[in-house]
Amino acid sequence: MDLDYGKCWGTSKKDSWKNTLLLAYQSLGVVYGDLSISPLYVYKSTFAEDIHHSETNEEIFGVLSFVFWTLTLVPLFKYVFVVLRADDNGEGGTFALYSLICRHVKVSLLPNRQVADEALSTYKFERPPEPNNNSSRVKLVLEKHKSLHTALLILVLLGTCMVIGDGLLTPAISVFSAVSGLELSMSKDQHQYAVIPITCFILVCLFALQHFGTHRVGFFFAPVVLTWLICISALGLYNIFHWNPHVYQALSPYYMLKFLKKTRKGGWMSLGGILLCITGSEAMFADLGHFSYAAIQMAFTFLVYPALILAYMGQAAYLSKHHHTIHDIGFYVSVPESVRWPVLVIAILASVVGSQAIISGTFSIINQSQSLGCFPRVKVVHTSDKIHGQIYIPEINWMLMILCIAVTIGFRDTKHMGNASGLAVMAVMLVTTCLTSLVIILCWQKPPIVAFIFLLFFGSIELLYFSASLVKFREGAWLPILLALFLVTIMFVWHYATIKKYEYDLHNKVSLEWLLALGPSLGIARVPGIGIVFTDLTSGIPANFSRFVTNLPAFHRLLVFVCIKSVPVPFVPPAERYLVGRVGPAAHRSYRCIVRYGYRDVHQDVDSFESELINRLADFIRYDWYKERGIVDTWNEDDGYRSGASSNECRLAVIGTVAISGGPPFEIEESVQPASVSVGFSTVDSVTDVIEMEPLDVVERRVRFAIDTDSEADPGSEMDVQSREELHDLHAAQQAGTAFILGHSHVKAKQGSSLLKRLAINFGYNFLRRNCRGPDVVLKVPPASLLEVGMVYIV
């Protein structure tokens, strides 16, 4: 979905409002499933502590006051009015904030960063204000200290791991709380033996259906959540007017102070249950890319927020007249008996929808982590051809299912599940607050005092709740901490070893002269077909290819060194995805192709990737020979008119097809970034947009490009014959077949390394590498076309 439907369709303001309303309705099922089911378990988790209730209802009113102000300050003020604006070109979430910071400050630990990447249109969408001295000082400090780069990455990984932990705990607590309503219709013995099996059965069904994709059942998500919100609003209004119309007095913050003063330590510990009212708030930011800011803001402000407030007020009104039910089943005791069964069914459906949203979010964030080299390789299945981002990860799905069932059977009550879920939620929110503070200074160029006030105000609230959760370490809160430590260790070890492997490749790459010297004189043969050599390097010849040629003295007639890299932007437009260049002279038939993906991009399957790669090579060959013939010319405002230079093997060109209306663009004028120039030209098969990457010291300038039709050579000229011959060789090689050459690596820590490094590399990383998906599976390479080259990395 596009961020702003009104902009992309060119519709009127009235139509734009209609689209926003439609998106707001659709967001209910995806964004607010988790947040809307929190009334099922908040009061029961809060009053699980030993709190004695007085006839004045100060304890109940105090909890309601905390719930009201927590919902108002965190989801409404923090997320809706501040954090949602810190989007990364329409994308939200922990990695989006990290990506945004990395583009403004050089703190990214991702290898092979190129100036060419900054010519992406995703970078150009931003209009940052002029930098000020304060932000520049903060930027300099961050860029200077490498330890801060690592600390920032660990902070992001910690937030990511807590989101995964939430994906494990939310289905368990939400489905268990919904099914617990059966207790009111069963005896104690029946309930004891029925609720756990029914919960586990629903969880198994929920995870078993994941491989079908949410788009197949997603059409009823929004109606279910809308029905649930209307239901809890109606129940809230009924309980308010029927039991205690004066419950509105509890909205005063005075009752919070009174509650803490009276209950002291017990009241502080009960905050661990109150914070569950904001579980799912992070989903508003994480799912921003599927909707628009206006749609999410509208849905929460005018529907979700008032419905939740009414629901909590209604429960408080009922409990104020029924103190003996406070420690019972919580939500369902406040539901009139005549409508209890329909409410139970709707609650179970809503809990399934809320669980589905967090499971899908877990898949998405693991895919982002994997694309940025921070997670072991897993198989990602795209369940929808039409809806972008609908993915399914089999290994993660079944692991989550087993852990969810284990949590349900192990904890058996909402108190322990709530303690665990609350700590995970608050940890994610603290990470978001810290990263947003950096965005305020570095990206929005606001004075540091503004970021400090934001961090101090919201950080204090979240630290208060976090401390209340942390103190319940032995009562369930240990689970997300243990899980986060385990996952952070895995992710950091994988990322560390990946960078060390890249550095080894960089230091052991082979020179271009070595490749050009290979030939019949050394007993090297060129065999028919295309050899696609996958490498992490963006320049030079990888060591695994030299190992391949040394052991098998032959390589393919047409050679392509392919580097698939992730860049810190959400999406890379298809027209800017392929950077193509020559390796050596044209007669050598060797090319380099860098394929760039954003952290939310869908990777192509091998068939479409292979055909797309061949098409981009063909377009590059045509373009390169156009340059050789001097047909592509440029007008530089500083240097005047000059003819296209000959092909330079050090240059790469961005090759991508663009849609043209009204004839081919023989002349294009645009303002360009310091690192790029752009040209449009007509070919036999397509119209191609090319951005040729210049040396780094090129100054910003306006450039005009034109095809000089008068200078076109005779079709029978030598250059035209050579270009046709090269295209013919490309076609013939494609017909002969393609071989994919991948490195099969074993990594060892070098002698003299510390014990920690040896454990991390020799045991940790190699264990993960042996038990995760191979690069051939991730790249979807057919086994019949795969050639693996063994490599030992000493890092």
Side-chain angles (χ1 to χ4, degrees), residues 574-576 578 616 619 654-658 687-690:
E576 301 173 5
Y578 290 86
R616 298 289 76 80
D619 286 338
V654 179
I655 306 289
T657 303
V658 293
V687 175
T688 302
D689 181 45
V690 180

Side-chain angles (χ1 to χ4, degrees), residues 550-604:
T550 303
N551 289 277
L552 184 67
F555 59 94
H556 296 82
R557 185 70 189 88
L558 196 140
L559 204 58
V560 188
F561 295 96
V562 174
C563 172
I564 296 180
K565 61 178 289 191
S566 293
V567 288
V569 294
F571 304 101
V572 175
E576 301 173 5
R577 177 156 293 150
Y578 290 86
L579 266 111
V580 186
R582 291 193 187 279
V583 178
H588 199 269
R589 301 294 191 262
S590 297
Y591 309 90
R592 182 178 311 284
C593 182
I594 300 172
V595 188
R596 301 177 294 181
Y597 287 97
Y599 56 81
R600 281 189 181 270
D601 265 323
V602 176
H603 289 235
Q604 298 158 289

